[in-house]
Amino acid sequence: MSLNLGMRIILTLFLLLFIISACNSEKTQIENKVDVDSLAIQLSNSATERFGEYIFGRIDSPDSLEVSLSELDKAIEIEPNLTELYTHKANILLALDRDEQAIQVLNKALSIKPDFVEVMTLIGFINEKIEKSEVAQEWYQKALEGYDKRIEEKRFVINSKINKVFLLLFTQDEEAARKAYKNLKQEYPNNSEVEFMEQFLFIDFDKEKFLNELYK
């Protein structure tokens, strides 16, 4: 049975946590790079706004997302090294059930930004969704190593620790994730992102439904 809209929105918001930290870094790069083409940014904003309308049910037709894909392709032609354009495009491809294409696009993002750990995580999710479990586990391990490196370097520490806890649902089991979450909660008792994660570990989490609802 498909998840209801409220649950779907929550899942989508949580998935977005996996790219927030890296995208914030990318945003800083864009703000500091005066020669980023304004048209590319306008096209990206238009594409992602339309995608948001679709995710939240204010646009019914998937055909509208083809327009967003076209806009992002044009933006990529203009600014081929902006990794956020590739993640936006992959999200839309996932919404259209074009999983293999999404993986290809995300691999392109990694070729530009090899330490984009959130992308590694998402590639793992997609591979597990399409029943390539061994490949998924390889990506999860790459992601865990990437998060550990960030933590050692004191970059996006809390976000990385949250993502590591969530990945335990895919690399180990729910009991391991709950135990790790408890330790994280003790370490950061007043952090809003840590508190938000509790909704996923203490509701009836279903991994299969989670994977099947990726950006739908």
Side-chain angles (χ1 to χ4, degrees):
M1 184 172 62
S2 179
L3 299 181
N4 61 39
L5 179 60
M7 189 59 189
R8 186 176 299 171
I9 290 171
I10 291 174
L11 287 174
T12 300
L13 290 173
F14 189 75
L15 280 166
L16 290 175
L17 287 179
F18 281 98
I19 62 172
I20 283 174
S21 61
C23 284
N24 281 343
S25 174
E26 186 76 9
K27 182 178 179 181
T28 300
Q29 290 179 335
I30 292 172
E31 289 172 347
N32 292 335
K33 186 178 177 184
V34 295
D35 59 341
V36 171
D37 194 284
S38 61
L39 177 57
I41 300 304
Q42 290 173 15
L43 289 166
S44 176
N45 289 342
S46 175
T48 54
E49 285 172 10
R50 188 180 298 101
F51 176 59
E53 293 290 303
Y54 178 81
I55 285 294
F56 287 95
R58 291 189 283 267
I59 294 177
D60 294 328
S61 174
D63 292 341
S64 64
L65 298 185
E66 298 293 344
V67 178
S68 289
L69 288 176
S70 178
E71 289 175 329
L72 287 169
D73 284 339
K74 291 176 183 176
I76 288 170
E77 286 181 13
I78 299 169
E79 291 287 353
N81 292 320
L82 281 185
T83 53
E84 70 167 21
L85 300 177
Y86 297 92
T87 57
H88 293 333
K89 183 176 179 179
N91 292 341
I92 294 172
L93 289 169
L94 287 174
L96 293 169
D97 286 326
R98 300 180 191 173
D99 300 323
E100 295 285 358
Q101 286 181 259
I103 291 173
Q104 293 175 7
V105 171
L106 291 171
N107 272 308
K108 177 61 178 177
L110 279 178
S111 71
I112 298 168
K113 188 174 182 179
D115 64 346
F116 204 155
V117 190
E118 291 78 8
V119 164
M120 299 176 195
T121 306
L122 185 52
I123 293 175
F125 287 157
I126 301 170
N127 275 288
E128 186 152 357
K129 176 186 175 184
I130 60 178
E131 299 183 347
K132 294 184 178 180
S133 298
E134 291 185 7
V135 177
Q137 289 300 321
E138 292 174 2
W139 281 105
Y140 295 151
Q141 291 306 313
K142 290 179 182 179
L144 289 171
E145 292 171 6
Y147 290 131
D148 283 337
K149 183 177 180 181
R150 280 189 185 173
I151 292 168
E152 290 173 5
E153 296 173 349
K154 302 188 185 304
R155 296 187 299 123
F156 311 118
V157 172
I158 297 177
N159 183 271
S160 296
K161 289 182 177 181
I162 288 172
N163 293 351
K164 284 188 65 178
V165 170
F166 190 64
L167 275 178
L168 289 174
L169 292 167
F170 299 85
T171 59
Q172 296 188 38
D173 53 33
E174 186 175 338
E175 182 178 352
R178 285 174 179 265
K179 182 177 179 180
Y181 174 78
K182 182 179 180 180
N183 293 334
L184 191 63
K185 181 73 171 176
Q186 290 175 345
E187 186 176 4
Y188 303 103
N190 300 314
N191 183 270
S192 59
E193 290 183 17
V194 174
E195 291 176 355
F196 183 70
M197 186 181 190
E198 191 167 1
Q199 297 181 57
F200 291 84
L201 296 182
F202 297 99
I203 61 174
D204 186 18
F205 180 81
D206 187 311
K207 183 169 71 173
E208 184 176 349
K209 286 184 178 180
F210 174 83
L211 293 170
N212 287 335
E213 292 290 338
L214 284 175
Y215 295 108
K216 286 187 179 180

